[in-house]
């Protein structure tokens, strides 16, 4: 392979990533890998969680899971990373979707777990916080941290289920709505904004 193909993430970058990612078992230690940046690859994760390569949806779930296993968020961009190269991709919102939720218990002892569209399972807590970002319509969009700096957007149906768990509290002199789970209270919004 010519050096210029490697550096630009040329047309064979996808094949190289597939081959390199298939080499190991379990979650690859992508946070420890620091290969050279080789440019952008024509890959995009749409806001609805669909992965695209060269404008075409990737229809094989196993391939999407493989790419998801080597995805990392660097300070300047999302990248697919192997021990020998790192290529940038576009992520429209969050790289993953939380598509299934399990709830046990109540209050701060409540266990709240999510399964993502790539079959990661996380339980809300200090390592996997639940955060709410404002959307363009004055509402709140929930996200759960999956790993590293990778987050999953909670689907609309599950967001409604979360909203039913919200309760009012006073935090630092402010009236807020939030969800008690995983030993903490995850603030959704100020009570004044909810009215």
């Amino acid at each position: 392979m010519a050096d210029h193909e490697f550096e630009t993430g040329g047309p064979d970058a996808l094949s190289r990533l597939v081959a390199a990612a298939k080499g190991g078992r379990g979650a690859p230690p992508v946070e420890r890998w620091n290969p050279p940046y080789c440019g952008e690859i024509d890959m995009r994760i749409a806001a609805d969680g669909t992965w695209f390569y060269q404008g075409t949806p990737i229809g094989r779930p196993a391939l999407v899971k493989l790419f998801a296993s080597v995805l990392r968020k660097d300070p300047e961009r999302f990248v697919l990373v192997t021990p020998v190269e790192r290529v940038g991709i576009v992520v429209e919102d969050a790289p993953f979707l939380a598509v299934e939720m399990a709830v046990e218990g109540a209050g701060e002892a409540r266990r709240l777990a999510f399964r993502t569209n790539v079959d990661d399972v996380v339980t809300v807590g200090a390592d996997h916080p639940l955060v709410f970002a404002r959307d363009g319509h004055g509402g709140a969009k929930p996200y759960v941290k999956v790993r590293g700096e990778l987050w999953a957007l909670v689907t609309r149906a599950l967001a409604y289920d979360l909203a039913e768990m919200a309760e009012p509290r006073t935090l630092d002199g402010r009236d807020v709505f939030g969800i008690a789970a995983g030993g903490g209270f995850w603030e959704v919004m100020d009570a004044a904004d909810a009215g």
Side-chain angles (χ1 to χ4, degrees), residues 19 23 28-29 35 48 64 75 82 94-95 102 104 112 118 120 139 146 158 170 179-180 190:
D48 70 358
V64 169
T82 71
E104 288 181 0
L112 187 58
V118 293
D120 287 308
V146 177
L158 295 181
T170 300
I179 298 168
D190 283 343

Side-chain angles (χ1 to χ4, degrees), residues 121-145:
V121 176
V122 296
T123 301
V124 171
D127 291 337
H128 303 284
L130 182 63
V131 299
F132 294 82
R134 301 300 286 199
D135 67 15
H137 307 287
K141 290 171 49 173
Y143 296 84
V144 63
K145 189 174 189 178

Side-chain angles (χ1 to χ4, degrees), residues 52-144:
F52 290 84
Y53 178 64
Q54 295 184 339
T56 302
I58 300 173
R60 293 180 44 209
L63 191 55
V64 169
K65 288 178 188 179
L66 178 66
F67 289 131
S69 74
V70 294
L71 181 65
R72 179 174 84 192
K73 173 72 170 81
D74 285 352
E76 62 282 349
R77 69 183 58 86
F78 287 93
V79 295
L80 298 177
V81 62
T82 71
V84 297
E85 70 181 322
R86 186 169 37 115
V87 294
I89 69 168
V90 173
V91 177
E92 291 180 356
D93 190 348
F96 309 126
L97 293 178
V99 296
E100 187 176 357
M101 179 171 68
V103 183
E104 288 181 0
E108 291 185 12
R110 176 185 291 137
R111 288 179 38 99
L112 187 58
F114 292 95
R115 182 182 63 81
T116 71
N117 59 322
V118 293
D119 291 333
D120 287 308
V121 176
V122 296
T123 301
V124 171
D127 291 337
H128 303 284
L130 182 63
V131 299
F132 294 82
R134 301 300 286 199
D135 67 15
H137 307 287
K141 290 171 49 173
Y143 296 84
V144 63

Side-chain angles (χ1 to χ4, degrees), residues 176-188:
V176 299
F177 283 99
I179 298 168
F185 187 74
W186 312 98
E187 185 179 331
V188 177

